[in-house]
């Protein structure tokens, strides 16, 4: 059974891979990106099964317009993939105000704009899926990625809330968490002038690992794209889908540590309950 997909950020990386795979198997794709000419080869090969629009997800009015146009042109859209992203690689003091604004407006607010624009249409048709592309860094954290993590932890919290709100409408939402993958994302990271004060901190260690190639990129982007498609085909709707050995390892380690710390504070947590609610014994 063929489906129709709406995907942001399709010029490269997971967005491009998903678009290629879906078109090859006969699905329709509404692909959005900043430079539409980047998909000219796919348009020539697949004709009207590929609908393309220019989109900067930080422009809320433009997002609403493009989403409305896509539903009008294609009718039903079965799956919305929030994939457009921006990364900042800098320690807390190094990043420029504009870089901080851009990563939040793209990864957090941009994703929110797309979800909000799509939901009236998905509700009206009575079904749909949303795949929110996040990262292992949506549940754990690495030095020098603080502002990127701020956007990803933020969108995961938003999506966890929204998933409960939209389930009664027959709409499922899954947060997809790929690990480190050679998609070109690393080379596209925005950087900032290095402060020597941070050179001998964990921020400097991560910077050197990326520079000398010892920061491992163990995951296969093709397999990640396939896993996302397989998830939709399976009709399973987990809240989160971890993808990658590092995602599984690092997120699990983080969750175990957080739970241990949480439990360690049980006594003080319960000590602040109002006296009139404390039961004897």
């Amino acid at each position: 059974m063929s489906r129709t997909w709406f995907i942001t950020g399709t010029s490269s990386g997971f967005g491009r891979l998903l678009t290629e795979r879906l078109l090859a198997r006969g699905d329709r794709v509404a692909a959005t990106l900043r430079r539409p000419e980047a998909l000219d080869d796919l348009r020539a090969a697949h004709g009207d099964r590929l609908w393309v629009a220019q989109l900067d997800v930080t422009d809320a009015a433009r997002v609403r317009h493009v989403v409305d146009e896509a539903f009008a042109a294609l009718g039903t859209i079965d799956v919305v993939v929030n994939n457009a992203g921006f990364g900042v690689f800098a320690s807390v003091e190094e990043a420029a105000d504009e870089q901080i604004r851009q990563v939040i407006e793209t990864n957090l607010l941009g994703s929110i704009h797309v979800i909000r624009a799509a939901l009236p249409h998905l509700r009206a048709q009575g079904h749909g899926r949303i795949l929110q592309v996040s990262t292992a860094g949506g549940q754990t954290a690495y030095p020098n990625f603080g502002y990127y993590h701020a956007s990803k932890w933020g969108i995961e919290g938003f999506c966890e809330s929204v998933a409960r709100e939209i389930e009664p409408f027959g709409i499922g939402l899954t947060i997809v968490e790929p690990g480190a993958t050679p998609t070109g994302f690393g080379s596209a990271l925005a950087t900032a002038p290095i402060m020597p004060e941070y050179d001998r901190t964990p921020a400097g260690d991560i910077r050197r690992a990326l520079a000398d190639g010892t920061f491992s990129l163990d995951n296969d982007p093709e397999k990640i794209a396939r896993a996302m498609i397989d998830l939709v085909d399976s009709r399973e709707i987990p809240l989160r889908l971890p993808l990658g050995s590092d995602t599984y390892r690092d997120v699990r380690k983080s969750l175990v540590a957080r739970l241990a710390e949480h439990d360690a504070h049980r006594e003080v947590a319960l000590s602040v309950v109002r006296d009139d609610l404390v039961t004897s014994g």
Side-chain angles (χ1 to χ4, degrees), residues 23 102 108:
L23 291 170
Q102 188 171 356
L108 177 57

Side-chain angles (χ1 to χ4, degrees), residues 165-240:
E165 297 173 6
I166 63 178
E167 184 180 10
F169 304 122
I171 304 167
L173 189 156
T174 296
I175 303 163
V176 181
E177 297 171 332
T181 309
T183 60
F185 178 76
S187 60
L189 287 168
T191 59
I194 297 171
M195 292 177 60
E197 293 87 346
Y198 285 90
D199 189 52
R200 297 195 178 279
T201 72
D205 295 338
I206 294 293
R207 181 184 291 116
R208 283 184 287 275
L210 277 179
D212 64 21
T214 58
F215 190 95
S216 184
L217 304 174
D218 293 340
N219 304 304
D220 185 330
E222 292 277 359
K223 289 183 177 180
I224 288 174
R226 168 49 57 192
M228 293 169 67
I229 296 170
D230 287 347
L231 175 68
V232 173
D233 288 347
S234 75
R235 300 185 182 275
E236 295 179 3
I237 310 176
L239 177 60
R240 287 180 171 86

Side-chain angles (χ1 to χ4, degrees), residues 3-278:
R3 292 186 176 88
T4 302
W5 302 62
F6 181 97
I7 309 174
T8 66
T10 56
S11 61
S12 61
F14 298 129
R16 171 80 187 206
L17 289 172
L18 285 169
T19 300
E20 291 174 348
R21 279 185 169 273
L22 294 167
L23 291 170
R25 76 174 197 169
D27 286 5
R28 297 189 302 171
V29 177
T32 72
L33 63 172
R34 290 172 179 262
R35 297 179 298 101
E37 65 273 12
L39 296 183
D40 284 351
D41 58 327
L42 295 183
R43 277 198 279 195
H46 298 284
D48 61 7
R49 284 196 297 108
L50 176 61
W51 184 92
V52 177
Q54 189 280 332
L55 182 61
D56 176 351
V57 296
T58 67
D59 184 340
R62 176 66 180 167
V63 169
R64 289 191 294 269
H65 176 74
V66 168
V67 170
D68 289 347
E69 278 197 330
F71 274 91
L74 300 172
T76 296
I77 291 179
D78 303 293
V79 188
V80 174
V81 183
N82 243 340
N83 172 71
F86 177 76
V88 174
F89 183 65
S91 71
V92 60
E93 293 186 72
E94 292 168 346
D97 293 345
E98 174 60 22
Q99 292 174 320
I100 298 168
R101 182 196 62 78
Q102 188 171 356
V103 74
I104 297 298
E105 289 195 355
T106 302
N107 299 349
L108 177 57
L109 297 180
S111 294
I112 290 172
H113 296 331
V114 173
I115 290 172
R116 281 169 50 84
L119 281 176
H121 300 282
L122 299 178
R123 281 194 297 104
Q125 68 188 25
H127 75 276
R129 294 286 300 273
I130 298 171
L131 300 185
Q132 174 64 54
V133 178
S134 181
T135 168
Q139 290 200 78
T140 190
Y142 308 96
N144 242 42
F145 284 98
Y147 296 107
Y148 183 67
H149 291 315
S151 68
K152 292 300 187 179
W153 282 63
I155 196 58
E156 291 212 13
F158 173 80
C159 286
E160 188 161 341
S161 177
V162 169
R164 296 181 181 182
E165 297 173 6
I166 63 178
E167 184 180 10
F169 304 122
I171 304 167
L173 189 156
T174 296
I175 303 163
V176 181
E177 297 171 332
T181 309
T183 60
F185 178 76
S187 60
L189 287 168
T191 59
I194 297 171
M195 292 177 60
E197 293 87 346
Y198 285 90
D199 189 52
R200 297 195 178 279
T201 72
D205 295 338
I206 294 293
R207 181 184 291 116
R208 283 184 287 275
L210 277 179
D212 64 21
T214 58
F215 190 95
S216 184
L217 304 174
D218 293 340
N219 304 304
D220 185 330
E222 292 277 359
K223 289 183 177 180
I224 288 174
R226 168 49 57 192
M228 293 169 67
I229 296 170
D230 287 347
L231 175 68
V232 173
D233 288 347
S234 75
R235 300 185 182 275
E236 295 179 3
I237 310 176
L239 177 60
R240 287 180 171 86
L241 179 67
L243 294 174
S245 57
D246 53 340
T247 297
Y248 182 82
R249 178 190 67 241
D250 294 352
V251 170
R252 189 180 190 282
K253 181 180 178 180
S254 179
L255 292 174
V256 169
R258 287 167 62 193
L259 183 60
E261 185 176 53
H262 181 79
D263 287 345
H265 291 93
R266 180 179 185 275
E267 185 175 344
V268 69
L270 300 182
S271 72
V272 301
V273 175
R274 284 171 24 212
D275 289 342
D276 61 307
L277 297 180
V278 176

